Amino acid sequence: MSDGPRIVVAGAGAIGCFIGGLLAGAGHSVTLLARPRIQAEIRTHGLTLTDFGGMARYLSADDLTLASDETCLRDADIVLVTVKSRDTENIARQIARHTAQGVQVISLQNGMGNRAILAQHLSQHDLRAGLVPFNVVAMGQGCYHRASSGDLVIEGGPADLAVRLSQPDLKVVEHADITALQWGKFLMNLNNALNALSGLPLQAQLQDRAWRRLMADQWAEALAILRAEKIRPAMTTPIPARLVPALLRLPTPLFTRIASAMLQIDPQARTSMAQDLAARRPTEIDALQGEVQRRGQALGRATPVTDMVLRVMGWAELAGEGLPHLPVTALRAEMAAGQDQQEG
């Protein structure tokens, strides 16, 4: 048994199983608070972790603890929150109910409102925001594959938390202005919905200039909203957020040469929203495009790209038929129709 901190991954899906598994493999005591389906996979097949660089790790079910009952939080020294944004309020209440004051809680979630929701219930805890820059694909039979690169980033604070969590296959760094980095990741995550609607692997989508132009229009629209609110996103890459739309609009050979880091992903990698849509699960569209739309409405600014993506994703979720494989021209046509309807 490890003498280190006891870690509970609250909401262990693809990201939670991957990060929790690597921590368990490094000798930490890890409990995965997960759905019965995921527990059954791990109990039957173990937990296999791979990545695009060739890493391969295997853990048996005995190498970690699997739980479906929130009472497992009672033993936690560190809680990694990896639930979907819609479940943040519920998990916050559970953490508050079962953990002691001062327990370290790290939100590793998409969207921008999760830390504030957690803070309403966890004022006596060491609460940190964080971001996961890489993509993890659930391959089935307890296998989770990291399909892109990047270091885990958490909000700075006491106790050298990043040092305690870092290990060779999972570098963790602390950052003083985590909010700016989260906004940069938020802008990146806006492509999750477009990738889901396209049905394309990420790499193929990024190699298609027509899709990149739509991505650029969506990014520019959201960035204008953030600028109006005096929000300055930061990126974990050398490219400033304000230059990303211009980069995306470049001819493909030039884009490929300049943005090689963006293309360091598995050829078959897709976004988490594409995985959710394919599995007929609810997506996080409201925490992403929904956030842009609400902020635009509050400012009295039109958001035609965002509005179109919300409409079409809503139809795709309602249809429940998996990935729609829409051409970019169909989305452009729907955006134009939406604008005509508004003007009419």
Side-chain angles (χ1 to χ4, degrees):
M1 182 66 69
S2 170
D3 293 328
R6 294 164 296 184
I7 300 170
V8 174
V9 181
I15 290 291
C17 284
F18 188 85
I19 293 173
L22 286 179
L23 291 171
H28 289 286
S29 172
V30 176
T31 297
L32 301 181
L33 178 55
R35 297 184 185 279
R37 174 185 60 81
I38 292 175
Q39 292 187 54
E41 279 193 15
I42 296 173
R43 287 197 171 98
T44 302
H45 303 284
L47 185 61
T48 301
L49 309 173
T50 60
D51 78 0
F52 71 104
M55 181 204 78
R57 300 284 182 271
Y58 174 79
L59 293 89
S60 73
D62 295 332
D63 292 326
L64 37 77
T65 301
L66 302 173
S68 55
D69 191 326
E70 65 189 66
T71 56
C72 70
L73 291 161
R74 293 173 182 169
D75 297 325
D77 300 307
I78 299 173
V79 179
L80 306 181
V81 180
T82 58
V83 299
K84 299 291 188 183
S85 296
R86 62 181 175 273
D87 297 321
T88 303
E89 179 79 30
N90 184 50
I91 199 65
R93 293 180 186 276
Q94 293 178 9
I95 295 169
R97 187 180 305 124
H98 295 293
T99 61
Q101 294 182 5
V103 164
Q104 293 168 318
V105 178
I106 307 172
S107 168
L108 299 176
Q109 302 165 271
N110 287 332
M112 294 303 300
N114 296 300
R115 192 195 190 286
I117 293 171
L118 291 167
Q120 292 173 8
H121 300 275
L122 304 173
S123 60
Q124 301 303 311
H125 291 64
D126 179 3
L127 177 60
R128 316 276 186 100
L131 64 89
V132 181
F134 50 80
N135 171 271
V136 176
V137 180
M139 307 296 289
Q141 298 187 340
C143 180
Y144 295 90
H145 181 74
R146 179 169 53 191
S148 56
S149 60
D151 297 331
L152 207 61
V153 185
I154 64 173
E155 187 176 352
D160 292 326
L161 188 53
V163 174
R164 297 169 73 193
L165 294 178
S166 285
Q167 47 95 13
D169 295 312
L170 185 72
K171 184 177 179 182
V172 184
V173 297
E174 294 190 12
H175 198 281
D177 190 2
I178 191 71
T179 302
L181 288 178
Q182 283 185 302
W183 278 117
K185 176 74 185 309
F186 175 89
L187 291 170
M188 292 284 289
N189 281 342
L190 291 177
N191 184 50
N192 288 5
L194 293 182
N195 180 249
L197 294 173
S198 76
L200 295 170
L202 263 171
Q203 194 173 92
Q205 185 197 14
L206 286 168
Q207 293 284 6
D208 187 319
R209 193 181 186 191
W211 277 108
R212 291 201 314 277
R213 283 173 166 167
L214 185 56
M215 292 164 60
D217 292 347
Q218 179 177 236
W219 183 293
E221 180 176 279
L223 187 59
I225 298 293
L226 300 186
R227 282 175 174 163
E229 295 187 323
K230 310 299 183 190
I231 295 171
R232 296 184 177 181
M235 305 292 289
T236 56
T237 64
I239 302 167
R242 61 184 172 81
L243 296 182
V244 171
L247 173 66
L248 291 170
R249 293 182 178 119
L250 289 173
T252 298
L254 188 55
F255 168 79
T256 302
R257 188 157 59 249
I258 296 174
S260 58
M262 293 177 68
L263 299 172
Q264 291 182 4
I265 51 179
D266 278 4
Q268 295 306 311
R270 288 176 167 85
T271 64
S272 58
M273 198 174 293
Q275 296 173 57
D276 286 339
L277 196 60
R280 282 75 169 173
R281 295 189 296 258
T283 72
E284 289 191 292
I285 189 75
D286 185 64
L288 296 168
Q289 274 78 5
E291 182 77 15
V292 176
Q293 185 184 69
R294 288 187 291 272
R295 288 174 179 268
Q297 289 171 345
L299 291 167
R301 287 176 174 246
T303 54
V305 185
T306 299
D307 297 346
M308 175 274 293
V309 176
L310 279 164
R311 282 196 307 276
V312 180
M313 276 296 296
W315 297 336
E317 287 195 49
L318 187 62
E321 296 179 353
L323 300 178
H325 296 275
L326 295 173
V328 68
T329 51
L331 300 187
R332 290 285 189 188
E334 172 56 30
M335 184 168 64
Q339 289 178 289
D340 287 344
Q341 189 173 24
Q342 279 193 335
E343 292 169 3

